[in-house]
Amino acid sequence: LPNDGTPTLFPINSGSGSYRFRIMQNTEGSSYVELDAVEADVELSSEFAPFLIPSQICSYTADSACVAKARELTADVQNQGEAVAAICTWVAGNVTYDMDKAEELSQSTGYIPNPDDTLRTGTGICFDYASLSAAMLRSMGLPTKIITGYVGEDQLYHAWIMVYVDGTWKTAAFSVSPNTWSRCDVTFASTGGSRYSGSGTDYTDRYTY
């Protein structure tokens, strides 16, 4: 949480129901202490609602550069499948994997990606690819989850996106079907696989954002 009181969005992404919200403070390593907590019953307007708005790790506004780029890329598309194709293909082809950054962050926690920074620098790690893609897609009204978890036989920790659209898009790197959650690993499409981005197979979800 920002220490200056800046509002931060954390969409409720596990559906309607009873929740316990906790504010935790890191004390040492992976140890935390609870500072405050509250319980509440939540009724979502739609199962897609949490995946159509900004969040702390998918931060954007109507004035963000990534939103302007998404509008440019989807100006002539005919359906949502084409919009996903336009955005994901562009990100995969214009963002370069930053191995130095990956090495630097490999032993740390708490990294928060910034979509506009990734767009500006044209570099990033898998979390950056996922966050930028999700920000662009969500800003165009396309439900998009950011998933972190494990990939490949070695269970490399990784990040990718899931999209829910009414169109179809199938290539060697992507397979998007209508009216279901489809995985798009933009990092793998960009790199072709590496010790940082995995093999594009054997995905195991851990966290959904």
Side-chain angles (χ1 to χ4, degrees):
L1 293 171
N3 292 324
D4 61 1
T6 301
T8 304
L9 291 174
F10 297 90
I12 300 169
N13 56 23
S14 295
S16 300
S18 298
Y19 283 79
R20 179 175 174 82
F21 301 98
R22 308 170 72 198
I23 297 177
M24 311 294 290
Q25 182 178 42
N26 182 238
T27 55
E28 181 181 13
S30 59
S31 298
Y32 290 80
V33 62
E34 182 180 284
L35 299 182
D36 199 3
V38 64
E39 295 184 358
D41 292 328
V42 174
E43 184 67 34
L44 297 181
S45 60
S46 162
E47 65 173 300
F48 304 113
F51 309 110
L52 286 166
I53 60 175
S55 69
Q56 187 183 55
I57 65 166
C58 182
S59 180
Y60 63 91
T61 68
D63 298 323
S64 295
C66 65
V67 174
K69 188 64 181 179
R71 291 196 193 103
E72 173 192 327
L73 292 170
T74 59
D76 298 320
V77 301
Q78 301 301 309
N79 58 53
Q80 292 181 340
E82 289 185 7
V84 173
I87 288 172
C88 290
T89 300
W90 188 90
V91 173
N94 289 274
V95 176
T96 301
Y97 195 87
D98 190 334
M99 294 188 180
D100 291 337
K101 184 176 183 179
E103 193 66 36
E104 178 184 342
L105 294 174
S106 62
Q107 302 302 318
S108 65
T109 60
Y111 173 69
I112 298 176
N114 184 302
D116 273 0
D117 283 351
T118 304
L119 181 69
R120 176 180 55 82
T121 62
T123 63
I125 59 171
C126 58
F127 212 2
D128 297 312
Y129 279 88
S131 179
L132 173 59
S133 300
M136 296 172 79
L137 291 163
R138 289 184 186 185
S139 72
M140 295 297 101
L142 306 176
T144 307
K145 297 177 179 180
I146 297 175
I147 309 291
T148 59
Y150 304 94
V151 63
E153 294 179 357
D154 296 332
Q155 291 292 276
L156 172 75
Y157 200 60
H158 190 45
W160 58 91
I161 62 172
M162 302 285 288
V163 297
Y164 196 106
V165 298
D166 64 9
T168 299
W169 175 41
K170 296 187 184 296
T171 69
F174 299 101
S175 181
V176 174
S177 299
N179 304 317
T180 187
W181 288 105
S182 300
R183 180 183 299 108
C184 290
D185 188 342
V186 184
T187 312
F188 180 77
S190 176
T191 63
S194 72
R195 69 188 182 97
Y196 295 106
S197 60
S199 61
T201 60
D202 299 321
Y203 289 86
T204 303
D205 299 359
R206 186 179 183 192
Y207 296 118
T208 299
Y209 301 99

